[in-house]
Amino acid sequence: MTDMIEPVSPDTLANGSAHVRLGSNAGQPLTRADGRLKVTGRATFAADNRPDGMLYAVYVSATIARGRVTHLDVDAAKAHPGVVEVMTPANRPPLARDPDAKPHPFALKVDALQNDRVRYAGQPIALVIAETLEAAAEGAVLLAPAYAAEPARMDEATGEIFATEIAGFGNPALFEKGDVEAGLAAAARRVEARYTTPAQYHNAMEPHAIVAAWEGDRLILDMPTQAPALSTAEFASFFGIPPQNVLVRSPFIGGGFGSKAFATGPYLLAMLAARMVGRPVKMVHRRDQQFGPVGHRGATRQTLRLGAAADGRLTALDHTALSTTSSFDDFLEPAANASHNMYASPAMRMAHQGLRNDVGTPGAMRAPGEATGSAALECAMDEAAEACGMDPLAFRLANYAETDPQTGRPFSSKALRECYTAAAERFGWSGRPLAPRQMRDDEGRLVGWGMGSALFPCPMFEAEARATIHADGTGTVEISASEMGQGALTALAQIAADGLGIDGDRLDFRSGDSSLPNGGIAGGSGHTATAGSAIFTAGADAVRRLAEIAVADEASPLFGASNSGVEARGGRLHRVDDPSRSETYAAILSRAGLSSVTGEGKGARDPAAAESRAMFSHGAVFAEVTVDPDLAQIRVTRLVGAFAAGRIVNPRLATSQLTGGMIWGIGFALHEETVYDPRTGRPMNADFAGYHVPVNADVPSVEALLVEETDRHVNALGIKGVGEIGITGTVGAIANALWHATGVRVRDFPVKMETLLG
Ligand code: MOS
């Protein structure tokens, strides 16, 4: 494991400005800054808020997937003691914009009681507001909805298949390079297989929750969001108020995984309810209400066709995905995109089609596209390796992409080879028999080893930050970032302290509400890179201002130095040419008669770098499974991953993110699946008794190794991202290990005992 990353001076910042260096705080394996607050229950989550006069709202979920609501017993609900108001499409206050409009292509339509249509099970169809949670829940039952139901379209046979231009968030749905059919025809070995992945629901530990209050035309929201400042504009647009009239407080988020990035229908209803009754309203989803109106990972059916020459090199790679979406919106899980950038092939074709079913609109869920797509790709690669009689790792190395297969561009950095080596050595891969069913453990269980490659893009979005140095030499950094359990408050504060050239314990890091500078979105694995860049440049800007004062002041030991001749560290400015000549921040400010200096910074990708390089984090995951030969009971006994993701700001938290992703990979491979009732379209396992995720007993040994990687192109700090890549590669590694144990190819996820039993 990489314990410490060498500090480097980001060139862009050293140029003409005082030097600040990432390295004395960043790179340390600190524990979570908010850990004590959380384990002692003092961290305040949205549902912990209880403003004076607050009412409770419970929304009613549709129990059919398609049709109309024909009756709601509003009188009965309103007559119930404690019920204050009932909101239905008949009396829902107007919104300033149509919830079915798409102001931009990535916007998702939301359900906010626009009419009596039901478009999926779980859709909100009414809301009861009451003095107590119990009264609201009882009132919701008394509404006793009646429906005119139409047959639910829940599968490939009944849903409409449609062509699409985009898949996911604006990616072209089709990519073609070379002649795939010719490549397949020329191949010495060919593999064609179809893989399926089910609908999965995010199910963060904290359900969606909101406390909404109006103060005149100002909207105050306590709610978990992955984009506190960005979301104000989205909410404001529904109420015709300026974004600055919306205050979103989101200090802690109990997991988001993509489901807490955008406006949802239930959230809008809570805001409407608070306005309707003129009192604050709290609404918390029941667990079953997480299944429907807040997005999910859409089901996919993926066909892979691979051709390989006798030496194992790919001659063609064809990946098509049929992704389920709702009947009324068009987000498509971009599964085939996972094959764009992983392996070298002269001919490639990646294509998407949509399938309309009566389900809620899917959306981004941890590693959208890559999680589902890499599951299929890595299995197909394993099948191709078998067809070529090659070791799966040797087969991948034979198809190593030295440049980006999609664009031909050089990678900004790519230490995948080092990842293969590190993980394979740690796992003990050499000595693996080629054929399946060759290994047994002490108790006679079949043992199998499999592997997969991992990849995730490292995008940046846009963020702003403010940094202040105070008269006492302490610093404050402000940014509306999102702490959703990933450790943002810790890692970003490490960057912030380095940006200001102070020790971490001298820093007050302020985050978590939308009045602070816009920290962008915690998504796409780009939060640390984006918000971190904004924070670091803000700190450097404050230091620059301080240095300007010092170098112009005859009384300062720094007098006469140029700004770039000064370096900030340990709360002092030092002359670069003579580090013994230095002065504290406090002394500089005191002599200047200033109480503080403030700097500002932005984080965004350099467009020239984005145009010239392909930017991805990479990794390799190795899995060991055991399978009971009689009962086909499956255990993942070991997972070893190695990942290269540029500069690691906090090795402890990065490892936690990566192992968390790998554990989700176990859940994807073996547990997670939404089972819909084909008659009603209702999820039949909308709770943690029926919707399985890995627990400790499912996760015996998971190791993530950090492979050192220096990237001079992704951003000045060299930070990529670790939030999502862990799940990619892992699913395929487990499925491939199951084949190696049993000789049975499993192509439908989650893998079940009955599949292995044949
Ligand atoms: Mo994510 S699925 O980028 O929150």
Side-chain angles (χ1 to χ4, degrees), residues 31-32 41 64 70 110 272 291 371 373 391 422 430 434 462 563 569 598 745:
T31 56
R32 282 178 165 77
I64 63 167
T70 54
V110 294
L272 281 166
F291 290 76
D391 169 79
S430 69
L434 260 193
E462 290 180 2
N563 199 311
R569 107 181 96 85
T598 294
R745 284 288 174 194

Side-chain angles (χ1 to χ4, degrees), residues 169 202 226 256-262 297 363-368 456 461 484 521-526 724:
F169 290 103
H202 303 77
Q226 295 173 232
F257 312 119
S259 72
K260 289 173 180 159
F262 301 100
R297 200 195 296 284
M365 180 160 153
R366 202 174 193 180
F456 199 76
F461 306 101
M484 52 177 171
I521 183 167
S525 300
E724 294 166 269

Side-chain angles (χ1 to χ4, degrees), residues 570-634:
R572 305 176 77 93
L573 291 181
H574 303 255
R575 282 186 74 125
V576 174
D577 57 4
D578 180 2
S580 69
R581 291 165 70 185
S582 75
E583 191 171 28
T584 65
Y585 296 175
I588 297 166
L589 285 172
S590 158
R591 242 191 354 268
L594 292 172
S595 61
S596 65
V597 284
T598 294
E600 288 176 352
K602 285 188 194 305
R605 168 106 340 116
D606 168 16
E611 284 299 302
S612 62
R613 307 274 162 173
M615 302 177 181
F616 298 92
S617 296
H618 293 91
V621 181
F622 292 75
E624 178 183 86
V625 300
T626 63
V627 179
D628 184 292
D630 302 314
L631 303 173
Q633 191 178 44
I634 301 165

Side-chain angles (χ1 to χ4, degrees), residues 55 57 87 93 127 129 210-215 219-221 239 267-282:
L55 297 175
M87 198 196 304
L127 183 91
I129 309 155
I210 183 168
V211 178
W214 289 88
E215 289 173 6
L219 179 57
I220 320 290
L221 302 170
F239 296 98
Y267 277 159
L268 279 185
L269 294 182
M271 298 173 206
L272 281 166
R275 170 170 266 190
M276 208 172 173
V277 297
R279 289 166 66 176
V281 167
K282 177 190 291 193

Side-chain angles (χ1 to χ4, degrees), residues 187-205:
R189 301 277 184 274
R190 275 178 290 276
V191 161
E192 175 168 353
R194 193 175 203 240
Y195 303 88
T196 65
T197 65
Q200 301 172 347
Y201 284 77
H202 303 77
N203 276 304
M205 209 187 303

Side-chain angles (χ1 to χ4, degrees), residues 16-18 20 469 538-549 563 573 599:
S17 183
V20 285
I469 299 168
D541 190 39
V543 167
R544 179 184 59 79
R545 284 166 202 250
L546 194 67
E548 271 169 13
I549 295 166
N563 199 311
L573 291 181

